[in-house]
C-alpha cells in the first residue's frame, strides 16, 4: 500500500502511531498540532512538514489520523474542509458517528496501549480495534492495522467504549496505584525499586490465570486486624486512606459472594 | 549451612518458601497446618511428615517458620513450647515483638511477592526483608535469605508495615482492578485477553520510569467529558462506578498540584 497520512495531533499516541507507520514505509505527509512545541518535535522526529494552524493543513493526504483529546476534536475538525477524504480518529470513547459531519468516509483506529513519548512501544502484539462506515474503508483500515500489528479486530463504538473503561481500570488506575505506593514508601525513605519485582509478577500472573483466581492480600482473606492497622497507618494520607477503605470493602463484598 | 526447618502454616507463602529452601538443599523436617488438606498437600509436595495438631510439632527443628494469617499466630504459637528455638514469622504487618513471648530467639523473614500455589515463583530476584532481635540471628537469617535471593535487606518492623501497605496498593488492589476490568468486559462479551498486552506494558513501564511520569488517561488529562460518559456507562456496576469516581477525583487532585 502506498499511502500518505496526515496526523492531526502530536501527542503520545500520534507520536508512536506515526512512527510505527513510517517504519513500515508509509508516508507521513504532514503533522498538525496547536501546540508549536509538540508539532515541531513530532515533525522533526519524522522529518516532515509541521503546521500549527488548521488552515495550513494540506488536503492531499490519503488518510487523516485524528489523535486529539476528545474534547478538542470538533473545535479542530470544524475548521477544515476534508471533502470526501477518509478521516480516522484514534479515541476509545468517541463514537464513529462523531465524524459524520466531516466526511462521507470515516473510521476509527484504536490501539489499546499506554503511550509515553520517551518509551518505545512494540506494535507487533498490540491489539488494534477498527471500525468504519463502509466495508471498503473497514477493509482498508484492517489491512493497514495488520501492517503494524498481528492483533487486529473490528469492534463497534459501544463495545469500544466498554473496552476503554476497562483499560482505565487496568492501566490508568493501576499506574496511579503504583504512584500511591511510591508516595507511601517515600514517607519512610524506602526506594520504589523494592516493589518492581512484585509489580511485574502481579501483571505476569494474569497473563496465565484469571485475576479473580490470582487475588491475594488482607482484604480477600477478610483480615480485619491488618486492614485496621493499615488504615491507622494511613492517617497522614487521608486521600489514600479513603481509597484503601473503599477498595478493601469492595474486594470483601466481591469475594464473600 | 545444614539446617532443618519446620513450617507452621501450609498456605501459598509456606508452600513456595519451603520449596525454595528445599531446592537449595535445606532440610524441611515437618509441616504443620490446622487444615488437613493443606498440611497433606504441602507434606506430600515436600515428601515430609505433616501434622495437624500443635502438640505433634517436633521441637528438634533448628528454625520454625511461621507462615500463618496474622490473626492465627497467637492461637497456634501459644500451644507450643519452643524453649529457646529460633522462631521466624513471614508477615508484612506483624511486628517482630509479636514473637517476644514465645522464645528468646526471634526473627522476621518477609519475601515481598504475591504467591499462588499453582504458579512457580523465581526467588532469585525477589526482595526479602529480614529482622531479628540479635546480631547473631540477623546474620543467620540474612545468609539464609541470600541462599535463595540476590536481594536481601534488613528492615525494621515499622518500615516493613509501610512496605506492606504499599504492596497492598501495588499488587492486591492492582489485581482487583484487573478483575474489575475483566468483569466489565464480560458484560459485553469481550475476552479479557485483549487487555493482557496493556497490563504487561503498564507494569514494564514503571520498571524504567517513575509511575508519576508514566500516568496517562482521561483523569490526568482532566477530560471531564470522557469521565462523565464512563460514569454513566457504569450505571449497572454501582460499586465500580463509585470507585471510578473517587479514584478519578484523587488523580485529578494529585496532578493539578
Amino acid at each position: 500500500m502506498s499511502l500518505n497520512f496526515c496526523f492531526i495531533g502530536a501527542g503520545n499516541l500520534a507520536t508512536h502511531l506515526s512512527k510505527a507507520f513510517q517504519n513500515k514505509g508509509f508516508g507521513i505527509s504532514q503533522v498538525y498540532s496547536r501546540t508549536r512545541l509538540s508539532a515541531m518535535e513530532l515533525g522533526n522526529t519524522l522529518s516532515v512538514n509541521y503546521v500549527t494552524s488548521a488552515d495550513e493543513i494540506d488536503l492531499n493526504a490519503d488518510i487523516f489520523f485524528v489523535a486529539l483529546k476528545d474534547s478538542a476534536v470538533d473545535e479542530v475538525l470544524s475548521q477544515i474542509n476534508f471533502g470526501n477524504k477518509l478521516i480516522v480518529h484514534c479515541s476509545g470513547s468517541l463514537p464513529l458517528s462523531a465524524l459524520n459531519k466531516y466526511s462521507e468516509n470515516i473510521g476509527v483506529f484504536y490501539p489499546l496501549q499506554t503511550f509515553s513519548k520517551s518509551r518505545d512501544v512494540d506494535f507487533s502484539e498490540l491489539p488494534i480495534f477498527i471500525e468504519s462506515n463502509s466495508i471498503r474503508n473497514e477493509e482498508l483500515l484492517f489491512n493497514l492495522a495488520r501492517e503494524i500489528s498481528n492483533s487486529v479486530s473490528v469492534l463497534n463504538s459501544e463495545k469500544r467504549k466498554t473496552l476503554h473503561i476497562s483499560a482505565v481500570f487496568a492501566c490508568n488506575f493501576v499506574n496511579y496505584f503504583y504512584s500511591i505506593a511510591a508516595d507511601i514508601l517515600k514517607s519512610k525513605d524506602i526506594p520504589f525499586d523494592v516493589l518492581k519485582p512484585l509489580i511485574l509478577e502481579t501483571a505476569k500472573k494474569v497473563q496465565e490465570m484469571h485475576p479473580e483466581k490470582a487475588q491475594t492480600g488482607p482484604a480477600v482473606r477478610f483480615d480485619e486486624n491488618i486492614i485496621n492497622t493499615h488504615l491507622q497507618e494511613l492517617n497522614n494520607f487521608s486521600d489514600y486512606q479513603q481509597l484503601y477503605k473503599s477498595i478493601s470493602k469492595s474486594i470483601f463484598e466481591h469475594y464473600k459472594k
Side-chain angles (χ1 to χ4, degrees), chain A:
Chain A
M1 284 190 275
S2 165
L3 293 167
N4 267 303
F5 308 146
C6 170
F7 269 80
I8 299 175
N12 296 339
L13 172 57
T15 300
H16 285 287
L17 186 56
S18 60
K19 277 162 74 177
F21 279 134
Q22 199 180 53
N23 288 339
K24 289 288 175 179
F26 292 97
I28 310 296
S29 59
Q30 199 181 42
V31 169
Y32 159 88
S33 169
R34 287 175 299 182
T35 315
R36 175 161 297 276
L37 187 64
S38 304
M40 191 177 73
E41 265 181 12
L42 184 53
N44 289 343
T45 300
L46 301 168
S47 305
V48 305
N49 169 249
Y50 63 89
V51 295
T52 57
S53 124
D55 54 21
E56 294 174 287
I57 289 176
D58 176 5
L59 295 168
N60 289 313
D62 298 298
I63 307 181
F64 293 83
F65 279 93
V66 181
L68 297 166
K69 205 170 136 161
D70 287 6
S71 54
V73 168
D74 275 330
E75 199 189 321
V76 173
L77 297 197
S78 60
Q79 300 173 58
I80 311 166
N81 184 351
F82 290 101
N84 279 331
K85 283 293 170 73
L86 178 53
I87 314 174
V88 176
H89 79 62
C90 305
S91 157
S93 312
L94 218 55
L96 173 64
S97 61
L99 300 176
N100 274 340
K101 52 186 157 189
Y102 303 113
S103 172
E104 282 171 21
N105 292 295
I106 55 177
V108 178
F109 194 102
Y110 177 54
L112 184 66
Q113 193 50 282
T114 166
F115 298 104
S116 292
K117 279 185 187 168
S118 63
R119 188 174 156 79
D120 281 343
V121 170
D122 174 15
F123 270 79
S124 65
E125 299 305 324
L126 191 160
I128 297 177
F129 299 90
I130 62 149
E131 186 182 9
S132 188
N133 65 331
S134 76
I135 301 280
R136 194 175 141 269
N137 289 330
E138 189 179 289
E139 270 178 12
L140 174 65
L141 293 177
F142 192 94
N143 293 332
L144 207 56
R146 287 288 284 137
E147 293 278 333
I148 54 174
S149 166
N150 297 314
S151 169
V152 182
S153 321
V154 176
L155 198 76
N156 68 31
S157 293
E158 192 206 338
K159 287 192 174 189
R160 190 175 58 256
K161 199 199 282 179
T162 305
L163 182 59
H164 190 213
I165 298 174
S166 77
V168 168
F169 278 94
C171 166
N172 306 150
F173 290 173
V174 158
N175 184 78
Y176 184 56
F177 278 28
Y178 298 157
S179 256
I180 292 179
D183 241 19
I184 294 171
L185 288 176
K186 204 175 155 197
S187 72
K188 293 271 168 68
D189 293 321
I190 305 171
F192 177 67
D193 283 358
V194 299
L195 284 180
K196 289 179 176 177
L198 178 66
I199 285 173
L200 205 53
E201 170 65 10
T202 305
K204 280 185 180 168
K205 225 169 148 177
V206 296
Q207 307 293 311
E208 284 161 35
M209 65 203 285
H210 193 279
E212 188 124 338
K213 290 232 160 68
Q215 191 67 48
T216 57
V220 73
R221 291 197 308 269
F222 317 131
D223 203 326
E224 282 192 53
N225 279 343
I226 296 192
I227 293 172
N228 290 332
T229 319
H230 285 180
L231 286 173
Q232 210 179 333
E233 198 74 12
L234 287 169
N235 265 337
N236 295 329
F237 296 97
S238 62
D239 194 16
Y240 303 159
Q241 191 183 45
Q242 278 311 311
L243 291 177
Y244 186 105
K245 201 182 282 181
S246 47
I247 297 162
S248 293
K249 188 164 165 281
S250 180
I251 295 178
F252 180 89
E253 297 290 331
H254 186 85
Y255 280 88
K256 84 175 179 191
K257 279 171 202 165

